[in-house]
């Protein structure tokens, strides 16, 4: 595996960590009235899962994202941290 491949995976890990930590902060901020804007979220994806029934095998596909403002801020901060460390 080349250094560039490792670099891409590290960037993905940083972005996912920023997304998760930002989402957690957004959920915690929902109880603070002055920070209501951090927990504003939008959901997109499949509203109902897609089911493929082949009589022998049944597969269910579904994908939904809940992204809030603090998750986006967390991803931006993770990107800045990644660039500083690189």
């Amino acid at each position: 595996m080349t250094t560039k491949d490792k670099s891409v995976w590290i960037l993905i890990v940083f972005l996912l960590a920023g997304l998760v930590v930002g989402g957690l902060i957004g959920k915690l901020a929902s109880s603070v009235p002055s920070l209501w804007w951090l927990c504003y979220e939008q959901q997109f994806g499949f509203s109902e899962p897609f089911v493929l029934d082949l009589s022998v095998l049944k597969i269910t596909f579904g994908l939904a994202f809940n992204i809030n403002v603090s998750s986006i801020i967390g991803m931006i901060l993770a990107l800045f941290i990644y660039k500083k460390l690189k």
Side-chain angles (χ1 to χ4, degrees):
M1 193 181 278
T2 65
T3 306
K4 187 173 182 176
D5 291 338
K6 289 181 184 178
S7 167
V8 170
W9 283 109
I10 292 172
L11 174 62
I12 291 171
V13 168
F14 267 75
L15 289 176
L16 287 175
L19 184 71
V20 170
V21 171
L24 177 65
I25 291 171
K27 294 290 181 188
L28 293 174
S30 66
S31 61
V32 180
S34 62
L35 298 176
W36 64 269
W37 57 275
L38 282 176
C39 60
Y40 178 76
E41 68 181 12
Q42 184 68 37
Q43 178 181 11
F44 60 94
F46 297 118
S47 59
E48 293 192 22
F50 172 72
V51 179
L52 177 63
D53 191 358
L54 300 173
S55 150
V56 176
L57 178 67
K58 190 174 190 179
I59 302 172
T60 305
F61 298 100
L63 183 66
F65 293 99
N66 285 333
I67 296 181
N68 58 20
V69 174
S70 61
S71 295
I72 295 170
I73 293 170
M75 287 176 57
I76 292 170
L77 287 174
L79 186 62
F80 283 134
I81 293 170
Y82 173 77
K83 291 211 178 228
K84 288 287 186 183
L85 292 177
K86 189 171 179 189

